[in-house]
């Protein structure tokens, strides 16, 4: 599919050990492109029980029943790109993925953005610094992202820190100015003192 493509090389082993399939090795992405499309469909929450339906297993139960052990180093190579949720970027980095005794996946390493663009507040922001840092559960990396609206006297944008599950977002700028002034530069491209009626409405 043109929106989901991945070509991978590398080396590794597959073996049966302690009644589990064991995957070990190193993989490198020769090239790839992913376009993320959020699923608009509604789903039932984990705490919903429907009479007459078979009870669903929890994620923890499914993981513990999975006879799989993983120890893989994943190298994103130099030709992997991602598009979705306002983000357009190349991706680089290495992450070692392993499984715990309970079957959950853990990661150690980092992924960086390359020539990244983020569309927010109706603006095209350039990603100055963007990385996911893995040192624990694979689905909860730490965030270190700064995206700015460039070529202005005050280059304003957003800074994203925290983790994927508990992100923290704040308005930032270069040079540093008060947050309300930075927001004006980000949305209107001008200082708040020069704002027009339409600019004030946009800020609201």
């Amino acid at each position: 599919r043109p929106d989901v493509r991945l070509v991978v090389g590398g080396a590794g082993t597959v073996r049966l050990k302690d009644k589990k399939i064991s995957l070990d090795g190193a993989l490198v992405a020769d090239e790839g492109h992913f376009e993320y499309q959020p699923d608009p469909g509604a789903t039932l929450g984990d705490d919903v029980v429907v009479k007459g339906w078979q009870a669903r297993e929890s994620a923890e139960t499914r993981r513990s029943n999975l006879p799989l052990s993983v120890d893989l180093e994943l190298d994103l190579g130099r030709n992997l790109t991602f598009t979705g949720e306002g983000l357009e970027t190349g991706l680089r980095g290495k992450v070692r993925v392993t499984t715990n005794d309970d079957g959950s996946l853990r990661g150690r390493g980092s992924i960086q953005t390359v020539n990244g663009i983020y569309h927010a507040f109706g603006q095209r922001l350039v990603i100055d610094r963007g990385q996911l840092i893995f040192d624990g559960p694979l689905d909860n990396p730490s965030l270190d992202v700064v995206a700015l609206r460039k070529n202005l006297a005050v280059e304003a944008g957003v800074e994203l820190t925290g983790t994927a599950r508990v992100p923290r977002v704040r308005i930032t700028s270069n040079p540093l100015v008060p947050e309300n002034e930075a927001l004006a530069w980000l949305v209107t491209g001008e200082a708040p003192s020069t704002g027009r009626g339409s600019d004030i409405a946009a800020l609201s």
Side-chain angles (χ1 to χ4, degrees), residues 84-88 117-120:
E85 295 292 316
L87 177 64
E88 301 173 11
I117 300 297
Y118 183 57
H119 298 275

Side-chain angles (χ1 to χ4, degrees), residues 124-197:
R124 181 179 185 271
L125 308 182
V126 176
I127 299 178
D128 256 15
R129 185 177 73 244
Q131 63 176 340
L132 301 178
I133 303 167
F134 297 86
D135 190 17
L138 191 63
D139 61 352
N140 193 35
S142 297
L143 308 173
D144 181 20
V145 181
V146 175
L148 301 174
R149 184 178 179 183
K150 293 288 190 175
N151 302 317
L152 298 174
V154 176
E155 297 181 337
V158 293
E159 180 183 61
L160 182 62
T161 57
T163 66
R165 293 177 186 170
V166 187
R168 295 192 295 271
V169 183
R170 74 179 186 92
I171 302 298
T172 187
S173 65
N174 181 29
L176 287 174
V177 297
E179 191 171 78
N180 61 330
E181 185 176 342
L183 182 60
W185 280 102
L186 171 60
V187 175
T188 69
E190 297 178 330
S193 57
T194 61
R196 298 175 292 273

Side-chain angles (χ1 to χ4, degrees), residues 35 47 52 54 78 88 94 129 144 179 189 191 204:
E35 294 183 19
D47 59 339
Q54 184 176 353
R78 304 186 62 81
E88 301 173 11
K94 294 182 180 180
R129 185 177 73 244
D144 181 20
E179 191 171 78
S204 300

Side-chain angles (χ1 to χ4, degrees), residues 26 35 48-50 71 138 142:
E35 294 183 19
V48 176
V49 177
V50 180
D71 188 352
L138 191 63
S142 297

